[in-house]
Amino acid sequence: MADRRRRGVSPDTWDGTWAGEILDIIYGHYKEALDALPLEDMPSLAPRLLAAGVCFGFADPVTNIIANTLSSRDPDGGAKNRKRKRKPKTKNASGEEARSREEVLSKIVAGDGPSPPEARTVAERSLEGLVSFLTSYFRYLPNWDLLRYLSLAKADLLVAVSLVQKDRCCRHKDQLRIRSPAVKTALKCAALSARQPNSDGFLTGCFALVSHINKITGTLSREGFRRLTVQGISLLSRLLAKPLKLKRSDNPMDLVAERFRDPEPETAASIEDVPGHLTESLRGLLMDRVKEHYLKAVSRFPMKDLQTHHHRGLVKAGFCFGPFDPVSNIIVNTVWYDTAFPASKEFEVDMICTLGHVESRSVNGLMAFVCSCSPVMSERKAMVYLLKSNLDVCKAIRMAISEGCDVLVCYDNGYKAAAKAADHPNPEAYCEFVMQSLSAVTSTVRSLLQASHMLPSSEICRLSTLLSFPRVEYLEPTIQLTEDALNQITNYKEDFLTQQSFVHRKAEAALRYYEQSKGCSYDLGVICGVNDSVGKEMGIFDTKFEYTHANFWASQDDGTTTLFFAEFSNDEDSNYEPFCYPVCLLSAEARCCYCEYQGIRIVHPIENCWEGVRGFEKIACGEQYFTNTEIVSCAMLIDNQVGIFLQDYIYLDSAHDAKLIEDVNNAERVEKLDMDAEMRRIKSVPATGGET
C-alpha cells in the first residue's frame, strides 16, 4: 500500500512529506483490527467500522478502532450486534473470509484522484481527527511538525502527545490530564473534523474506555488481536456501555511508555535534531512563560503607583533578566529605570494595552545571555534550557554545564549581550548598574522582594532609593521631532486615550455587574491586555469587530488583588451586558482562537461563557474564517516583530530617547516619500473615458 496515491484533501491538514506515510501506518492498524473482529459471525460490525471506527482515542490505535466500532450505532440506526447464524465450514470458507476482509479494507484504503470531504474513508478521517486534536490542544503547533510527530508515534495519539510534551519541556502541572476541559474540547474537535456520525456518543465511548482501560486492553492483549470471539465482543460492548466514574488512577498516559519502544536510532534522536518550526514554537512557549512572570510582577506593584509612575519603566525597560528571579528582575529593572531616567513629563494611565513587545524583547535578552556563554549553543538549545529552568538564566547555564556543554561563564558578557538583544533604551547605564552598583545592595533588595504579596508604596520608595545609581540628570534634547513625526505621535496618543477611555468604562461596568452578583466590592486597577478584534466584523464598511477581550487587575479593601477577564461589545449602543470573571494565570485549559490569531495573550476563564470558547470547534468544522496554520503564522510573526512599536510612540521622551526620535523621523520621512511617489504615479496614469 506504500505506493498508492492519495486522495486530495484539505491543504491545511495534509503535507506531502508525511501524510502518505501516516496513512500507510493507519491502514496497517485497520488491517490488524479487521483481523481481530469476527465479521463473519457479526456482519453488522463492518458498516459500523466504516462509519465510526476511527483510530484515535485514549488507547492504542487498534484498540481505539475496535472500541469506537463497538460504541457506535449501525448506519441504519440499530445499536445491537446482530449475529449471523454460523454455517458449516467448507473448503473455501477461509478464502471467502479473506476476500470479505479485503473487500472491507479496500473501502478503507484511499483511491486515486481527489475526493470531497464527505467521501473520505475512515482512515483519512482518522488522520483529520488526529491532526485536529493536536492543533486544538497545543498552542503554536504547525501542521508540518504535528504530522512528523504522528509519523514518529505510528499514528498513536497519546504517544504523539507525549513526544510534543517532551520536546516542549512541559511542566508536570501542564501535562495532559484526561479530565481537563482542554482535553474534552480537543477530542470534540477531533470528532467534528473526522465527521463522526455521533460526536457526543463518540466522546462518551472514549471516556468509557478510559474507565475500563486496564481491563479492556488486558482482554485484547490476551486475545493478541488474532480473532475476538462473539462472547469477547459482547463483554467489551457491555463494558463500553457502562462507563465508571473516572478516578485519578485512570490515566492512559501511564500506558504510553509501554507502547513506544522504537529501537530505531533516528527515532531515539528525534528530540535532539528536530526539523520544522520547533524553534518558533518554543519561542511562543517562552513568551507564555514570560507573560506569567509579567502578570505576577504587575500584581506586586501598588496599582496607583503603577498607573501614575512605573508603567513607563515597565514598558520601556522592565526586562525579566538580571541577578534575581524573573519577577523580581522585572520590578528591579522597572524601578531602577524610572529612578535613573526620570520622565521629563509624567502622565497617568488606566491601561497598558499590551506588554507583548517588552515580553518579546525579554525573550531576546534571555536567549542572548545564555548563548553568550557558549558560542556553539543553538537558539533552540538555549530555549530548552530556559524552559527547563523557568527562565532562570543562572540555573539554565548550570544545566548546560551539567550536560557537558562547552560553557564559559562570564556574566558581564551575558548582561551586555542581553541588553543589546533586548534593545534596552540605555544599555551602557544598565550594564554599569547590574554589573557594578547593584552588587552592593543585592542582599537587601532580595530580602525586600522575597514576599509574594503586593508591595506597599513605602517599600517601592525604599527600593527606588536603594537603586538610585547611576542617576542621569535631565538632559536637553539633542534632536527634535519633525513636524510630520510630531503630528503622527499626537495622533497615536489621541487614539490611545480614546481607546483607553472606552475600555476603562466598559471594564468598570463589567466589574460592577460582577460585584452585584457576588456581593463584594473591588477597585479597578490597571488594564493589562486588550484585544478588540473578537467575533465577526460588524459590517462591510465597518472595520470594528463585535467584542473586546481584556484582562485587568482589581483590588479589595484587604489589599488582595485579583486578575479578571472581561468581554464587552464594541458597539456603544449595544444591549449586550459586559461581564467579567476571575482567572488564574495563562493556561492550556482555555484557548481563544481570536486572541491567538491577533497574537495577544489574554488570560481566559475555563467557564464556557465568552465569545470564541467554541472557536476551535468551528475551525474543525471549517466554519471559521481562519485556520490553525494562519493562527500559528500570525502568532509567530507578531512574537518576532522588531522595530518601533505603538507604545514606543506613546512613551517617547525627548530627554532620553534621541535615537528613537531619529528613527521616528526617518520612518515618517520614508513614509512621506513613498506617499509622494504613489501620488505622482497616480497622476501619471492617463485617464480613460467611456464611449458616448
Side-chain angles (χ1 to χ4, degrees):
M1 290 183 286
D3 59 350
R4 183 181 291 274
R5 294 176 59 192
R6 314 296 171 199
R7 289 178 175 173
V9 287
S10 168
D12 186 57
T13 301
W14 299 72
D15 183 285
T17 307
W18 298 108
E21 179 181 331
I22 299 168
L23 277 174
D24 281 331
I25 293 169
I26 291 174
Y27 296 148
H29 295 321
Y30 276 100
K31 186 176 186 307
E32 197 170 345
L34 285 171
D35 288 341
L37 291 171
L39 298 185
E40 293 71 34
D41 298 324
M42 306 178 73
S44 64
L45 291 177
R48 290 165 66 182
L49 182 148
L50 295 172
V54 291
C55 74
F56 56 85
F58 298 133
D60 63 272
V62 178
T63 299
N64 288 331
I65 293 169
I66 294 171
N68 292 332
T69 298
L70 299 183
S71 297
S72 70
R73 292 178 175 270
D74 288 333
D76 62 4
K80 294 192 180 263
N81 297 314
R82 292 192 296 273
K83 289 199 277 184
R84 173 185 289 173
K85 190 174 181 180
R86 179 177 288 275
K87 297 180 180 179
K89 285 207 171 187
T90 63
K91 281 186 181 181
N92 297 326
S94 297
E96 290 175 3
E97 284 183 19
R99 282 193 295 273
S100 174
R101 293 172 191 282
E102 284 297 323
E103 183 180 343
V104 176
L105 188 61
S106 69
K107 296 177 181 179
I108 297 172
V109 175
D112 295 337
S115 63
E118 63 273 11
R120 290 174 194 158
T121 71
V122 69
E124 291 173 315
R125 292 190 288 113
S126 288
L127 181 50
E128 294 272 5
L130 288 165
V131 168
S132 186
F133 183 99
L134 293 175
T135 56
S136 303
Y137 184 76
F138 289 108
R139 300 174 193 263
Y140 324 117
L141 186 58
N143 288 7
W144 196 95
D145 280 341
L146 70 86
L147 287 169
R148 171 187 163 275
Y149 285 119
L150 287 172
S151 178
L152 289 173
K154 308 300 182 188
D156 187 319
L157 177 60
L158 293 192
V159 170
V161 166
S162 70
L163 291 175
V164 177
Q165 291 182 162
K166 185 174 182 181
D167 266 8
R168 295 182 166 205
C169 313
C170 189
R171 296 173 294 188
H172 178 73
K173 68 175 185 177
D174 296 329
Q175 291 179 359
L176 183 142
R177 294 181 297 107
I178 293 299
R179 290 169 293 276
S180 72
V183 168
K184 186 174 181 180
T185 296
L187 194 61
K188 186 169 185 180
C189 289
L192 293 171
S193 180
R195 295 167 186 81
Q196 283 294 86
N198 181 357
S199 58
D200 290 336
F202 167 76
L203 263 65
T204 301
C206 285
F207 287 104
L209 172 60
V210 172
S211 68
H212 298 288
I213 193 162
N214 290 323
K215 191 168 186 178
I216 290 175
T217 54
T219 300
L220 292 175
S221 63
R222 283 195 301 273
E223 298 284 348
F225 287 127
R226 292 188 183 123
R227 183 67 52 84
L228 288 165
T229 62
V230 173
Q231 290 75 19
I233 291 290
S234 299
L235 171 62
L236 294 176
S237 298
R238 287 195 301 273
L239 290 174
L240 293 170
K242 294 181 179 179
L244 303 176
K245 184 177 180 180
L246 291 179
K247 299 175 292 188
R248 291 190 177 274
S249 58
D250 293 327
N251 185 6
M253 291 297 290
D254 294 340
L255 304 175
V256 166
E258 298 177 11
R259 300 205 298 270
F260 190 63
R261 294 178 179 174
D262 197 323
E264 297 177 9
E266 62 268 21
T267 301
S270 65
I271 306 304
E272 182 62 31
D273 301 307
V274 182
H277 303 85
L278 181 62
T279 299
E280 290 86 346
S281 298
L282 290 179
R283 182 181 178 85
L285 296 171
L286 275 175
M287 291 282 288
D288 284 354
R289 296 278 186 95
V290 167
K291 179 70 175 182
E292 292 180 8
H293 293 306
Y294 274 91
L295 288 173
K296 291 178 181 176
V298 167
S299 71
R300 300 287 309 282
F301 280 97
M303 285 298 151
K304 201 63 181 174
D305 288 18
L306 184 64
Q307 291 173 274
T308 58
H309 185 57
H310 292 298
H311 59 92
R312 168 182 172 268
L314 176 66
V315 169
K316 290 179 72 70
F319 301 113
C320 67
F321 47 80
F324 308 106
D325 64 90
V327 173
S328 296
N329 286 332
I330 294 168
I331 296 171
V332 167
N333 290 335
T334 296
V335 173
W336 168 77
Y337 186 80
D338 283 328
T339 304
F341 300 93
S344 56
K345 182 180 180 181
E346 289 190 347
F347 62 98
E348 185 172 346
V349 300
D350 297 316
M351 177 178 79
I352 303 173
C353 54
T354 178
L355 289 166
H357 75 293
V358 71
E359 292 162 359
S360 179
R361 289 168 176 168
S362 279
V363 170
N364 292 342
L366 289 167
M367 290 168 52
F369 195 117
V370 176
C371 288
S372 71
C373 297
S374 176
V376 297
M377 187 181 297
S378 66
E379 282 191 355
R380 188 191 68 79
K381 199 66 178 178
M383 290 181 183
V384 168
Y385 288 131
L386 286 168
L387 284 170
K388 287 182 176 180
S389 65
N390 199 24
L391 310 187
D392 186 322
V393 171
C394 297
K395 188 175 179 180
I397 292 172
R398 289 197 298 270
M399 283 184 180
I401 294 173
S402 67
E403 293 184 9
C405 188
D406 184 14
V407 173
L408 177 63
V409 180
C410 182
Y411 289 147
D412 287 3
N413 289 340
Y415 284 122
K416 290 176 183 177
K420 181 180 179 181
D423 198 18
H424 196 286
N426 197 319
E428 295 82 8
Y430 174 74
C431 289
E432 181 184 346
F433 160 68
V434 75
M435 290 156 47
Q436 299 177 27
S437 308
L438 185 58
S439 59
V441 295
T442 296
S443 59
T444 307
V445 171
R446 182 173 283 113
S447 176
L448 189 65
L449 297 176
Q450 66 182 358
S452 59
H453 56 74
M454 179 188 288
L455 297 167
S457 294
S458 59
E459 292 190 8
I460 292 292
C461 289
R462 185 185 174 201
L463 184 63
S464 179
T465 302
L466 288 169
L467 304 177
S468 58
F469 45 78
R471 183 180 177 89
V472 180
E473 298 299 328
Y474 177 81
L475 302 173
E476 288 296 330
T478 58
I479 184 172
Q480 297 287 343
L481 287 166
T482 64
E483 184 178 355
D484 289 334
L486 182 60
N487 290 337
Q488 186 75 333
I489 288 174
T490 301
N491 291 335
Y492 278 127
K493 287 184 176 179
E494 289 177 353
D495 290 343
F496 169 77
L497 292 174
T498 300
Q499 185 192 27
Q500 176 180 259
S501 176
F502 173 77
V503 174
H504 184 270
R505 186 171 66 256
K506 291 281 192 174
E508 186 82 49
L511 189 58
R512 299 302 155 242
Y513 276 113
Y514 180 80
E515 287 177 338
Q516 292 171 14
S517 66
K518 299 297 181 181
C520 52
S521 178
Y522 286 89
D523 288 327
L524 178 62
V526 67
I527 299 160
C528 53
V530 177
N531 175 23
D532 60 3
S533 302
V534 177
K536 300 177 183 177
E537 287 187 276
M538 297 175 70
I540 298 175
F541 303 107
D542 192 343
T543 57
K544 286 198 304 184
F545 286 78
E546 292 179 288
Y547 306 105
T548 286
H549 284 175
N551 285 139
F552 61 82
W553 287 97
S555 57
Q556 293 180 283
D557 292 340
D558 61 1
T560 59
T561 57
T562 303
L563 182 66
F564 280 89
F565 164 86
E567 178 180 278
F568 46 82
S569 171
N570 289 329
D571 186 353
E572 290 278 13
D573 300 325
S574 173
N575 294 324
Y576 183 81
E577 290 186 356
F579 65 89
C580 61
Y581 282 85
V583 289
C584 297
L585 297 181
L586 202 66
S587 167
E589 297 302 306
R591 296 183 62 189
C592 174
C593 60
Y594 298 109
C595 292
E596 291 183 29
Y597 184 64
Q598 296 295 327
I600 300 175
R601 288 170 171 82
I602 302 290
V603 185
H604 298 77
I606 297 174
E607 291 80 5
N608 297 337
C609 55
W610 42 275
E611 177 66 24
V613 72
R614 293 185 174 84
F616 283 93
E617 293 178 22
K618 292 181 180 179
I619 291 175
C621 296
E623 298 174 1
Q624 191 56 273
Y625 62 86
F626 46 73
T627 63
N628 173 67
T629 296
E630 291 167 324
I631 290 175
V632 172
S633 298
C634 288
M636 289 180 178
L637 182 65
I638 292 167
D639 282 350
N640 286 279
Q641 277 187 19
V642 294
I644 302 173
F645 292 80
L646 177 60
Q647 286 193 357
D648 293 331
Y649 288 112
I650 296 170
Y651 289 97
L652 189 145
D653 191 322
S654 59
H656 304 299
D657 296 325
K659 182 178 182 303
L660 179 58
I661 291 173
E662 185 178 356
D663 291 341
V664 172
N665 286 342
N666 289 335
E668 291 304 316
R669 189 179 300 113
V670 170
E671 185 175 339
K672 186 176 181 181
L673 288 173
D674 290 343
M675 188 176 296
D676 290 344
E678 180 64 15
M679 292 301 296
R680 288 194 298 271
R681 187 192 68 79
I682 293 173
K683 289 179 180 179
S684 67
V685 176
T688 58
E691 294 182 1
T692 59

